Every structure is written in structure tokens, then in C-alpha cells.
Amino acid sequence: MPHENPDPAVMREHYRSVLLHESDLAATPMEQFDRWFGDAADRGLPEPNAMVVSTADTDGRPSSRTVLMKRFDERGFVFYTNYTSRKGTELAANPHVSLLFPWHRIARQVIVTGTAERVGRDETAAYFRTRPHGSQLGAWASEQSSVIPSREKLMERYEQLAERYPEGEQVPVPPQWGGFRVTPVSVEFWQGHENRLHDRLRYVQQEEGRGWRVERLCP
Ligand SMILES: Cc1cc2nc3c(=O)[nH]c(=O)nc-3n(C[C@H](O)[C@H](O)[C@H](O)COP(=O)(O)O)c2cc1C
């Protein structure tokens, strides 16, 4: 082997952190997420809004990828993507989704299960307008998840778009691009501890209007 990598079997982190008690939790998982997201940002984690989104096709075959969470509030978590991408087509046929925030450096992870639906076109347009000009063109240039013959083809398409919409000119929102909002059904907060005696507290949505139940899971 040209490069001698460390053996992952002997890699071991010792997690030292404060215990997570049921009485510490906020009333709703989104409030609790707000606290932990704040901690992750304060601790200087790079891209704490990066999350792994897992979808499945109608035969139950899963696929995962990282995306950036761009908004969260009591309604759920929003990310933007191409609706014709693999995730986009899988979510159109099967809206069940899992999100995972891997905040390894602070020995935490948050796992969400729920369902995804498209955000309104106005909300998508409002966000699209905040993106840098180059990213707006990129959203048009890429038929996300399709096979292309070369990088040159992609760049060619980008250059054509840059000519059509020079810097300063408004780029229209691509019809195949937009947001998904994930409405949570359960949200697990995982806090790592020594001897693998981690805390796992999971909010589970009760029947309509009855709020959230919290349960502790064995690590
Ligand atoms: C840190 C990071 C952030 C990303 N953010 C996004 C994003 O916000 N939206 C997106 O569509 N793809 C994003 N990607 C690319 C996706 O991981 C993925 O390659 C792409 O969405 C195509 O996925 P699919 O073919 O499974 O649909 C990001 C990748 C990384 C590593």
C-alpha cells in the first residue's frame, strides 16, 4: 500500500461531557435543537448545519447524502436541492426521510425521522435570491444526479448561462430546484459519555395536538 493509514479498529475517543437529564430538555424538540445548534456553532464546529439526509426508493432501497439545512423552526427543517435529483425523485414517491447531524467534535448527534414536502415557490424564490450569483447559475447548469460525459460539458453549460445572465442581472429560479421541509415525527438527542454509557433521549410525536413524549433509549 502506498500510504499507511491508522487502523480504525484501535481508534477510540473518550467522551467527557455533562450528562443529559430528562429535566434539562426543552418542551419541544425544535427548541432543544435550537439550544444544541447554538452550542455547536459556539464551539466553532465547521458547517454545523450540514446534515445527512437518507431517503429510500419505493422498494425500500436507501440512499444518503449530505446537504445544508437552511432554516429550522417549529414546522421543521428546510434544505434546498434539485427536485429531479435522486433524493428529489425518491422523496416524491416516498416522503419518509431521516436526517442526521453528526456533531462528532462535541460528542453529539441529532437524528430526525419524519416526512418531507416541497416548500412553497415563494419561499424557494426568497431563498434563491439570497444565494450568490454563481450558485444561482450553478443550480441551472447542473442536472443533478444525471450522468455527464465530462467536467468540460458542465463548464460549457455554466459559461453559456453566465453570458445569458451576467453578474448583476436577476437569475430566474430554476423550476426543477427548490426546498423541502422535513416535519419531524421523532427527534433523538445523543450525547456521548465514557464507557459507552451515552445518553439518548428521543422526542416522539403524540397523536394530533397532544405534544411530545420523551423516552430514554439504551446506548
Ligand atoms: C457539505 C456538503 C453540503 C452539501 N449541500 C448540499 C445542498 O444543500 N443541496 C444539495 O442538493 N446538495 C448538497 N450537497 C451535495 C449532496 O451531498 C449530493 O451530492 C447531491 O445533492 C446529489 O445527491 P443525490 O444524487 O443523492 O440526490 C452537499 C454536499 C456536501 C459534502
Side-chain angles (χ1 to χ4, degrees):
M1 260 193 289
H3 183 76
E4 197 62 29
N5 281 324
D7 178 1
V10 298
M11 290 179 172
R12 206 153 276 132
E13 280 291 326
H14 294 284
Y15 304 138
R16 274 183 209 91
S17 38
V18 286
L19 297 174
L20 180 64
H21 289 292
E22 282 78 348
S23 59
D24 299 331
L25 292 181
T28 71
M30 299 310 282
E31 276 173 59
Q32 184 60 31
F33 182 85
D34 185 47
R35 291 182 190 172
W36 273 29
F37 186 66
D39 292 345
D42 290 347
R43 298 278 295 273
L45 258 68
E47 299 196 291
N49 60 328
M51 59 183 187
V52 176
V53 177
S54 299
T55 55
D57 65 17
T58 46
D59 293 325
R61 278 185 291 248
S63 64
S64 302
R65 76 290 290 157
T66 308
V67 304
L68 296 178
M69 183 271 294
K70 287 292 172 181
R71 182 190 174 118
F72 69 94
D73 56 30
E74 281 302 320
R75 293 172 300 166
F77 301 87
V78 175
F79 66 93
Y80 289 88
T81 194
N82 196 306
Y83 290 138
T84 59
S85 66
R86 177 173 182 177
K87 75 184 95 44
T89 51
E90 288 189 355
L91 286 173
N94 171 13
H96 296 290
V97 65
S98 165
L99 310 176
L100 186 150
F101 292 86
W103 295 329
H104 303 165
R105 236 173 63 193
I106 55 171
R108 284 180 175 175
Q109 71 179 346
V110 177
I111 301 175
V112 178
T113 65
T115 52
E117 60 180 349
R118 292 182 182 195
V119 307
R121 290 313 282 169
D122 288 352
E123 188 171 344
T124 285
Y127 172 67
F128 188 77
R129 281 195 291 274
T130 69
R131 286 165 60 97
H133 184 73
S135 307
Q136 294 181 343
L137 296 179
W140 274 102
S142 162
E143 283 177 31
Q144 198 177 53
S145 314
S146 65
V147 175
I148 45 167
S150 65
R151 182 170 180 87
E152 284 67 38
K153 273 271 167 248
L154 182 67
M155 293 313 292
E156 220 173 84
R157 175 117 178 85
Y158 184 89
E159 296 306 335
Q160 284 166 358
L161 286 156
E163 250 173 59
R164 187 153 156 211
Y165 302 108
E167 189 82 51
E169 198 153 308
Q170 183 140 7
V171 181
V173 186
Q176 75 284 5
W177 188 92
F180 280 106
R181 173 172 281 107
V182 175
T183 306
V185 171
S186 75
V187 186
E188 178 191 331
F189 292 85
W190 185 99
Q191 171 74 71
H193 293 296
E194 283 189 321
N195 303 323
R196 298 293 178 257
L197 299 175
H198 316 304
D199 286 316
R200 298 179 64 190
L201 292 180
R202 181 169 66 186
Y203 292 78
V204 181
Q205 189 166 50
Q206 305 282 77
E207 276 162 39
E208 201 61 48
R210 295 193 47 220
W212 299 88
R213 176 180 83 239
V214 173
E215 51 199 17
R216 179 174 286 272
L217 304 176
C218 220

mmCIF file of all heavy atoms in Angstrom, residues 68-106:
data_model
loop_
_atom_site.group_PDB
_atom_site.id
_atom_site.type_symbol
_atom_site.label_atom_id
_atom_site.label_comp_id
_atom_site.label_asym_id
_atom_site.label_seq_id
_atom_site.Cartn_x
_atom_site.Cartn_y
_atom_site.Cartn_z
ATOM 1 N N LEU A 68 -27.099 20.978 3.185
ATOM 2 C CA LEU A 68 -27.056 22.039 4.198
ATOM 3 C C LEU A 68 -28.478 22.401 4.618
ATOM 4 O O LEU A 68 -29.314 22.711 3.767
ATOM 5 C CB LEU A 68 -26.340 23.272 3.641
ATOM 6 C CG LEU A 68 -24.867 23.057 3.294
ATOM 7 C CD1 LEU A 68 -24.272 24.337 2.711
ATOM 8 C CD2 LEU A 68 -24.056 22.609 4.513
ATOM 9 N N MET A 69 -28.718 22.339 5.923
ATOM 10 C CA MET A 69 -30.013 22.760 6.458
ATOM 11 C C MET A 69 -30.009 24.292 6.435
ATOM 12 O O MET A 69 -29.068 24.923 6.928
ATOM 13 C CB MET A 69 -30.141 22.212 7.885
ATOM 14 C CG MET A 69 -31.447 22.504 8.565
ATOM 15 S SD MET A 69 -31.399 24.050 9.443
ATOM 16 C CE MET A 69 -30.213 23.714 10.738
ATOM 17 N N LYS A 70 -31.018 24.890 5.845
ATOM 18 C CA LYS A 70 -31.014 26.336 5.645
ATOM 19 C C LYS A 70 -31.991 27.082 6.530
ATOM 20 O O LYS A 70 -31.989 28.319 6.566
ATOM 21 C CB LYS A 70 -31.315 26.657 4.170
ATOM 22 C CG LYS A 70 -30.142 26.343 3.261
ATOM 23 C CD LYS A 70 -29.008 27.299 3.559
ATOM 24 C CE LYS A 70 -27.736 26.944 2.842
ATOM 25 N NZ LYS A 70 -26.646 27.873 3.181
ATOM 26 N N ARG A 71 -32.873 26.344 7.211
ATOM 27 C CA ARG A 71 -33.829 27.008 8.092
ATOM 28 C C ARG A 71 -34.416 25.958 9.028
ATOM 29 O O ARG A 71 -34.603 24.802 8.620
ATOM 30 C CB ARG A 71 -34.949 27.593 7.219
ATOM 31 C CG ARG A 71 -35.986 28.346 7.976
ATOM 32 C CD ARG A 71 -37.182 28.681 7.110
ATOM 33 N NE ARG A 71 -38.168 29.285 7.990
ATOM 34 C CZ ARG A 71 -38.619 30.520 7.848
ATOM 35 N NH1 ARG A 71 -38.243 31.257 6.846
ATOM 36 N NH2 ARG A 71 -39.478 31.016 8.712
ATOM 37 N N PHE A 72 -34.665 26.350 10.271
ATOM 38 C CA PHE A 72 -35.445 25.473 11.139
ATOM 39 C C PHE A 72 -36.324 26.332 12.034
ATOM 40 O O PHE A 72 -35.954 27.438 12.430
ATOM 41 C CB PHE A 72 -34.569 24.509 11.954
ATOM 42 C CG PHE A 72 -33.737 25.173 13.027
ATOM 43 C CD1 PHE A 72 -34.219 25.263 14.330
ATOM 44 C CD2 PHE A 72 -32.494 25.688 12.742
ATOM 45 C CE1 PHE A 72 -33.458 25.874 15.328
ATOM 46 C CE2 PHE A 72 -31.730 26.305 13.727
ATOM 47 C CZ PHE A 72 -32.210 26.395 15.023
ATOM 48 N N ASP A 73 -37.506 25.823 12.297
ATOM 49 C CA ASP A 73 -38.445 26.477 13.212
ATOM 50 C C ASP A 73 -39.415 25.399 13.668
ATOM 51 O O ASP A 73 -39.178 24.211 13.400
ATOM 52 C CB ASP A 73 -39.146 27.681 12.537
ATOM 53 C CG ASP A 73 -39.863 27.309 11.251
ATOM 54 O OD1 ASP A 73 -40.316 26.157 11.140
ATOM 55 O OD2 ASP A 73 -39.982 28.164 10.358
ATOM 56 N N GLU A 74 -40.493 25.768 14.317
ATOM 57 C CA GLU A 74 -41.410 24.760 14.874
ATOM 58 C C GLU A 74 -42.016 23.851 13.800
ATOM 59 O O GLU A 74 -42.499 22.769 14.089
ATOM 60 C CB GLU A 74 -42.519 25.420 15.706
ATOM 61 C CG GLU A 74 -42.044 25.829 17.105
ATOM 62 C CD GLU A 74 -41.483 24.668 17.936
ATOM 63 O OE1 GLU A 74 -42.030 23.561 17.895
ATOM 64 O OE2 GLU A 74 -40.450 24.876 18.621
ATOM 65 N N ARG A 75 -41.968 24.297 12.541
ATOM 66 C CA ARG A 75 -42.555 23.473 11.464
ATOM 67 C C ARG A 75 -41.593 22.388 10.993
ATOM 68 O O ARG A 75 -42.004 21.427 10.352
ATOM 69 C CB ARG A 75 -42.944 24.350 10.273
ATOM 70 C CG ARG A 75 -44.090 25.295 10.584
ATOM 71 C CD ARG A 75 -44.301 26.274 9.453
ATOM 72 N NE ARG A 75 -43.117 27.088 9.223
ATOM 73 C CZ ARG A 75 -42.900 27.840 8.148
ATOM 74 N NH1 ARG A 75 -43.789 27.869 7.180
ATOM 75 N NH2 ARG A 75 -41.813 28.575 8.036
ATOM 76 N N GLY A 76 -40.290 22.561 11.218
ATOM 77 C CA GLY A 76 -39.338 21.542 10.791
ATOM 78 C C GLY A 76 -38.053 22.113 10.217
ATOM 79 O O GLY A 76 -37.705 23.262 10.486
ATOM 80 N N PHE A 77 -37.380 21.282 9.401
ATOM 81 C CA PHE A 77 -36.048 21.600 8.859
ATOM 82 C C PHE A 77 -36.149 21.748 7.336
ATOM 83 O O PHE A 77 -36.733 20.892 6.672
ATOM 84 C CB PHE A 77 -35.081 20.456 9.149
ATOM 85 C CG PHE A 77 -34.917 20.137 10.602
ATOM 86 C CD1 PHE A 77 -35.780 19.251 11.238
ATOM 87 C CD2 PHE A 77 -33.907 20.723 11.348
ATOM 88 C CE1 PHE A 77 -35.631 18.947 12.590
ATOM 89 C CE2 PHE A 77 -33.745 20.425 12.702
ATOM 90 C CZ PHE A 77 -34.611 19.541 13.320
ATOM 91 N N VAL A 78 -35.534 22.798 6.794
ATOM 92 C CA VAL A 78 -35.611 23.042 5.344
ATOM 93 C C VAL A 78 -34.233 22.902 4.703
ATOM 94 O O VAL A 78 -33.239 23.384 5.248
ATOM 95 C CB VAL A 78 -36.177 24.459 5.068
ATOM 96 C CG1 VAL A 78 -36.143 24.774 3.575
ATOM 97 C CG2 VAL A 78 -37.590 24.588 5.618
ATOM 98 N N PHE A 79 -34.191 22.205 3.558
ATOM 99 C CA PHE A 79 -32.982 22.200 2.729
ATOM 100 C C PHE A 79 -33.382 22.414 1.276
ATOM 101 O O PHE A 79 -34.553 22.245 0.914
ATOM 102 C CB PHE A 79 -32.175 20.901 2.900
ATOM 103 C CG PHE A 79 -32.855 19.646 2.410
ATOM 104 C CD1 PHE A 79 -32.652 19.181 1.112
ATOM 105 C CD2 PHE A 79 -33.687 18.911 3.239
ATOM 106 C CE1 PHE A 79 -33.269 18.017 0.653
ATOM 107 C CE2 PHE A 79 -34.322 17.750 2.790
ATOM 108 C CZ PHE A 79 -34.116 17.303 1.497
ATOM 109 N N TYR A 80 -32.403 22.797 0.459
ATOM 110 C CA TYR A 80 -32.672 23.102 -0.953
ATOM 111 C C TYR A 80 -31.899 22.149 -1.835
ATOM 112 O O TYR A 80 -30.753 21.791 -1.536
ATOM 113 C CB TYR A 80 -32.308 24.558 -1.267
ATOM 114 C CG TYR A 80 -33.301 25.498 -0.626
ATOM 115 C CD1 TYR A 80 -33.116 25.954 0.681
ATOM 116 C CD2 TYR A 80 -34.476 25.839 -1.288
ATOM 117 C CE1 TYR A 80 -34.066 26.757 1.297
ATOM 118 C CE2 TYR A 80 -35.427 26.644 -0.673
ATOM 119 C CZ TYR A 80 -35.219 27.101 0.609
ATOM 120 O OH TYR A 80 -36.174 27.883 1.216
ATOM 121 N N THR A 81 -32.534 21.768 -2.930
ATOM 122 C CA THR A 81 -31.917 20.798 -3.818
ATOM 123 C C THR A 81 -32.623 20.815 -5.161
ATOM 124 O O THR A 81 -33.485 21.647 -5.426
ATOM 125 C CB THR A 81 -31.945 19.395 -3.170
ATOM 126 O OG1 THR A 81 -31.071 18.533 -3.897
ATOM 127 C CG2 THR A 81 -33.359 18.800 -3.136
ATOM 128 N N ASN A 82 -32.234 19.865 -6.002
ATOM 129 C CA ASN A 82 -32.849 19.724 -7.306
ATOM 130 C C ASN A 82 -33.955 18.668 -7.204
ATOM 131 O O ASN A 82 -33.686 17.555 -6.739
ATOM 132 C CB ASN A 82 -31.757 19.302 -8.297
ATOM 133 C CG ASN A 82 -32.189 19.499 -9.719
ATOM 134 O OD1 ASN A 82 -33.240 19.001 -10.114
ATOM 135 N ND2 ASN A 82 -31.403 20.239 -10.479
ATOM 136 N N TYR A 83 -35.162 19.023 -7.607
ATOM 137 C CA TYR A 83 -36.276 18.081 -7.461
ATOM 138 C C TYR A 83 -36.142 16.855 -8.369
ATOM 139 O O TYR A 83 -36.808 15.857 -8.145
ATOM 140 C CB TYR A 83 -37.610 18.787 -7.745
ATOM 141 C CG TYR A 83 -38.018 19.799 -6.685
ATOM 142 C CD1 TYR A 83 -38.565 21.020 -7.035
ATOM 143 C CD2 TYR A 83 -37.872 19.513 -5.321
ATOM 144 C CE1 TYR A 83 -38.959 21.944 -6.065
ATOM 145 C CE2 TYR A 83 -38.252 20.432 -4.347
ATOM 146 C CZ TYR A 83 -38.795 21.638 -4.721
ATOM 147 O OH TYR A 83 -39.187 22.547 -3.760
ATOM 148 N N THR A 84 -35.302 16.964 -9.406
ATOM 149 C CA THR A 84 -35.130 15.807 -10.305
ATOM 150 C C THR A 84 -33.911 14.961 -9.916
ATOM 151 O O THR A 84 -33.570 14.015 -10.604
ATOM 152 C CB THR A 84 -34.997 16.254 -11.782
ATOM 153 O OG1 THR A 84 -33.870 17.124 -11.878
ATOM 154 C CG2 THR A 84 -36.243 16.987 -12.254
ATOM 155 N N SER A 85 -33.244 15.325 -8.819
ATOM 156 C CA SER A 85 -32.098 14.528 -8.350
ATOM 157 C C SER A 85 -32.604 13.197 -7.799
ATOM 158 O O SER A 85 -33.812 12.989 -7.650
ATOM 159 C CB SER A 85 -31.362 15.283 -7.237
ATOM 160 O OG SER A 85 -32.203 15.401 -6.095
ATOM 161 N N ARG A 86 -31.672 12.333 -7.449
ATOM 162 C CA ARG A 86 -32.087 11.047 -6.874
ATOM 163 C C ARG A 86 -32.940 11.250 -5.623
ATOM 164 O O ARG A 86 -34.015 10.670 -5.486
ATOM 165 C CB ARG A 86 -30.839 10.210 -6.542
ATOM 166 C CG ARG A 86 -31.218 8.908 -5.885
ATOM 167 C CD ARG A 86 -30.043 7.982 -5.705
ATOM 168 N NE ARG A 86 -30.499 6.738 -5.122
ATOM 169 C CZ ARG A 86 -29.719 5.702 -4.904
ATOM 170 N NH1 ARG A 86 -28.455 5.748 -5.250
ATOM 171 N NH2 ARG A 86 -30.203 4.616 -4.363
ATOM 172 N N LYS A 87 -32.459 12.105 -4.699
ATOM 173 C CA LYS A 87 -33.230 12.343 -3.461
ATOM 174 C C LYS A 87 -34.582 12.953 -3.773
ATOM 175 O O LYS A 87 -35.589 12.640 -3.159
ATOM 176 C CB LYS A 87 -32.420 13.197 -2.477
ATOM 177 C CG LYS A 87 -32.328 14.670 -2.832
ATOM 178 C CD LYS A 87 -31.450 15.460 -1.913
ATOM 179 C CE LYS A 87 -30.041 15.637 -2.388
ATOM 180 N NZ LYS A 87 -29.824 15.988 -3.804
ATOM 181 N N GLY A 88 -34.589 13.870 -4.779
ATOM 182 C CA GLY A 88 -35.830 14.554 -5.135
ATOM 183 C C GLY A 88 -36.870 13.583 -5.665
ATOM 184 O O GLY A 88 -38.046 13.648 -5.270
ATOM 185 N N THR A 89 -36.440 12.674 -6.531
ATOM 186 C CA THR A 89 -37.410 11.730 -7.106
ATOM 187 C C THR A 89 -37.805 10.686 -6.064
ATOM 188 O O THR A 89 -38.962 10.267 -6.017
ATOM 189 C CB THR A 89 -36.858 11.055 -8.379
ATOM 190 O OG1 THR A 89 -35.568 10.529 -8.096
ATOM 191 C CG2 THR A 89 -36.749 12.027 -9.523
ATOM 192 N N GLU A 90 -36.856 10.308 -5.199
ATOM 193 C CA GLU A 90 -37.222 9.338 -4.153
ATOM 194 C C GLU A 90 -38.238 9.949 -3.190
ATOM 195 O O GLU A 90 -39.206 9.292 -2.803
ATOM 196 C CB GLU A 90 -35.977 8.856 -3.405
ATOM 197 C CG GLU A 90 -35.141 7.941 -4.286
ATOM 198 C CD GLU A 90 -33.991 7.228 -3.577
ATOM 199 O OE1 GLU A 90 -33.740 7.492 -2.387
ATOM 200 O OE2 GLU A 90 -33.346 6.418 -4.249
ATOM 201 N N LEU A 91 -38.034 11.211 -2.825
ATOM 202 C CA LEU A 91 -38.965 11.853 -1.890
ATOM 203 C C LEU A 91 -40.342 12.082 -2.508
ATOM 204 O O LEU A 91 -41.348 12.053 -1.804
ATOM 205 C CB LEU A 91 -38.383 13.180 -1.382
ATOM 206 C CG LEU A 91 -37.240 13.039 -0.375
ATOM 207 C CD1 LEU A 91 -36.617 14.395 -0.061
ATOM 208 C CD2 LEU A 91 -37.719 12.369 0.912
ATOM 209 N N ALA A 92 -40.372 12.273 -3.831
ATOM 210 C CA ALA A 92 -41.671 12.464 -4.498
ATOM 211 C C ALA A 92 -42.501 11.182 -4.398
ATOM 212 O O ALA A 92 -43.722 11.230 -4.264
ATOM 213 C CB ALA A 92 -41.450 12.851 -5.962
ATOM 214 N N ALA A 93 -41.816 10.034 -4.440
ATOM 215 C CA ALA A 93 -42.535 8.754 -4.407
ATOM 216 C C ALA A 93 -42.702 8.215 -2.992
ATOM 217 O O ALA A 93 -43.616 7.452 -2.709
ATOM 218 C CB ALA A 93 -41.783 7.729 -5.266
ATOM 219 N N ASN A 94 -41.781 8.606 -2.104
ATOM 220 C CA ASN A 94 -41.789 8.098 -0.727
ATOM 221 C C ASN A 94 -41.269 9.206 0.188
ATOM 222 O O ASN A 94 -40.063 9.414 0.286
ATOM 223 C CB ASN A 94 -40.879 6.854 -0.657
ATOM 224 C CG ASN A 94 -40.646 6.397 0.771
ATOM 225 O OD1 ASN A 94 -41.338 6.840 1.695
ATOM 226 N ND2 ASN A 94 -39.662 5.525 0.965
ATOM 227 N N PRO A 95 -42.169 9.930 0.858
ATOM 228 C CA PRO A 95 -41.741 11.118 1.605
ATOM 229 C C PRO A 95 -41.039 10.826 2.937
ATOM 230 O O PRO A 95 -40.596 11.751 3.609
ATOM 231 C CB PRO A 95 -43.059 11.865 1.847
ATOM 232 C CG PRO A 95 -44.101 10.805 1.855
ATOM 233 C CD PRO A 95 -43.632 9.736 0.910
ATOM 234 N N HIS A 96 -40.931 9.546 3.319
ATOM 235 C CA HIS A 96 -40.285 9.229 4.600
ATOM 236 C C HIS A 96 -38.786 9.497 4.501
ATOM 237 O O HIS A 96 -38.135 9.100 3.541
ATOM 238 C CB HIS A 96 -40.541 7.779 4.995
ATOM 239 C CG HIS A 96 -41.988 7.513 5.234
ATOM 240 N ND1 HIS A 96 -42.662 8.021 6.320
ATOM 241 C CD2 HIS A 96 -42.904 6.843 4.494
ATOM 242 C CE1 HIS A 96 -43.933 7.671 6.251
ATOM 243 N NE2 HIS A 96 -44.105 6.958 5.150
ATOM 244 N N VAL A 97 -38.251 10.155 5.530
ATOM 245 C CA VAL A 97 -36.878 10.630 5.453
ATOM 246 C C VAL A 97 -36.241 10.596 6.836
ATOM 247 O O VAL A 97 -36.948 10.627 7.850
ATOM 248 C CB VAL A 97 -36.893 12.076 4.846
ATOM 249 C CG1 VAL A 97 -37.598 13.052 5.755
ATOM 250 C CG2 VAL A 97 -35.530 12.581 4.506
ATOM 251 N N SER A 98 -34.930 10.477 6.852
ATOM 252 C CA SER A 98 -34.181 10.580 8.103
ATOM 253 C C SER A 98 -33.098 11.639 7.920
ATOM 254 O O SER A 98 -32.475 11.720 6.859
ATOM 255 C CB SER A 98 -33.554 9.211 8.426
ATOM 256 O OG SER A 98 -32.573 9.367 9.420
ATOM 257 N N LEU A 99 -32.905 12.458 8.945
ATOM 258 C CA LEU A 99 -31.838 13.475 8.938
ATOM 259 C C LEU A 99 -30.884 13.160 10.072
ATOM 260 O O LEU A 99 -31.319 12.743 11.149
ATOM 261 C CB LEU A 99 -32.418 14.872 9.188
ATOM 262 C CG LEU A 99 -33.606 15.329 8.369
ATOM 263 C CD1 LEU A 99 -34.069 16.715 8.853
ATOM 264 C CD2 LEU A 99 -33.240 15.383 6.896
ATOM 265 N N LEU A 100 -29.597 13.380 9.850
ATOM 266 C CA LEU A 100 -28.627 13.139 10.913
ATOM 267 C C LEU A 100 -27.610 14.280 10.950
ATOM 268 O O LEU A 100 -26.981 14.577 9.929
ATOM 269 C CB LEU A 100 -27.912 11.800 10.666
ATOM 270 C CG LEU A 100 -26.964 11.350 11.771
ATOM 271 C CD1 LEU A 100 -26.907 9.834 11.828
ATOM 272 C CD2 LEU A 100 -25.548 11.884 11.567
ATOM 273 N N PHE A 101 -27.495 14.918 12.091
ATOM 274 C CA PHE A 101 -26.480 15.964 12.292
ATOM 275 C C PHE A 101 -25.310 15.320 13.028
ATOM 276 O O PHE A 101 -25.456 14.958 14.205
ATOM 277 C CB PHE A 101 -27.056 17.119 13.125
ATOM 278 C CG PHE A 101 -28.128 17.896 12.406
ATOM 279 C CD1 PHE A 101 -29.450 17.480 12.446
ATOM 280 C CD2 PHE A 101 -27.810 19.035 11.678
ATOM 281 C CE1 PHE A 101 -30.449 18.183 11.778
ATOM 282 C CE2 PHE A 101 -28.802 19.749 11.007
ATOM 283 C CZ PHE A 101 -30.120 19.320 11.049
ATOM 284 N N PRO A 102 -24.152 15.163 12.383
ATOM 285 C CA PRO A 102 -23.031 14.446 13.005
ATOM 286 C C PRO A 102 -22.048 15.411 13.669
ATOM 287 O O PRO A 102 -21.041 15.765 13.081
ATOM 288 C CB PRO A 102 -22.376 13.751 11.792
ATOM 289 C CG PRO A 102 -22.645 14.686 10.643
ATOM 290 C CD PRO A 102 -23.848 15.529 10.989
ATOM 291 N N TRP A 103 -22.355 15.801 14.894
ATOM 292 C CA TRP A 103 -21.500 16.788 15.576
ATOM 293 C C TRP A 103 -20.447 16.064 16.413
ATOM 294 O O TRP A 103 -20.430 16.152 17.661
ATOM 295 C CB TRP A 103 -22.377 17.703 16.433
ATOM 296 C CG TRP A 103 -23.321 18.544 15.619
ATOM 297 C CD1 TRP A 103 -23.130 19.024 14.352
ATOM 298 C CD2 TRP A 103 -24.616 19.032 16.027
ATOM 299 N NE1 TRP A 103 -24.221 19.777 13.943
ATOM 300 C CE2 TRP A 103 -25.145 19.799 14.954
ATOM 301 C CE3 TRP A 103 -25.371 18.914 17.194
ATOM 302 C CZ2 TRP A 103 -26.386 20.424 15.015
ATOM 303 C CZ3 TRP A 103 -26.618 19.544 17.254
ATOM 304 C CH2 TRP A 103 -27.103 20.287 16.184
ATOM 305 N N HIS A 104 -19.554 15.343 15.711
ATOM 306 C CA HIS A 104 -18.596 14.450 16.390
ATOM 307 C C HIS A 104 -17.709 15.178 17.381
ATOM 308 O O HIS A 104 -17.390 14.642 18.430
ATOM 309 C CB HIS A 104 -17.718 13.738 15.359
ATOM 310 C CG HIS A 104 -18.517 12.955 14.349
ATOM 311 N ND1 HIS A 104 -17.994 12.492 13.170
ATOM 312 C CD2 HIS A 104 -19.812 12.576 14.356
ATOM 313 C CE1 HIS A 104 -18.924 11.855 12.489
ATOM 314 N NE2 HIS A 104 -20.040 11.904 13.184
ATOM 315 N N ARG A 105 -17.289 16.393 17.005
ATOM 316 C CA ARG A 105 -16.298 17.074 17.851
ATOM 317 C C ARG A 105 -16.834 17.399 19.234
ATOM 318 O O ARG A 105 -16.066 17.564 20.172
ATOM 319 C CB ARG A 105 -15.797 18.347 17.156
ATOM 320 C CG ARG A 105 -14.275 18.310 17.030
ATOM 321 C CD ARG A 105 -13.737 19.426 16.219
ATOM 322 N NE ARG A 105 -14.020 20.719 16.823
ATOM 323 C CZ ARG A 105 -13.871 21.865 16.188
ATOM 324 N NH1 ARG A 105 -13.490 21.871 14.932
ATOM 325 N NH2 ARG A 105 -14.122 23.001 16.801
ATOM 326 N N ILE A 106 -18.132 17.495 19.380
ATOM 327 C CA ILE A 106 -18.694 17.747 20.715
ATOM 328 C C ILE A 106 -19.455 16.516 21.210
ATOM 329 O O ILE A 106 -20.283 16.608 22.121
ATOM 330 C CB ILE A 106 -19.557 19.028 20.757
ATOM 331 C CG1 ILE A 106 -20.672 19.002 19.700
ATOM 332 C CG2 ILE A 106 -18.688 20.256 20.558
ATOM 333 C CD1 ILE A 106 -21.674 20.150 19.845
#
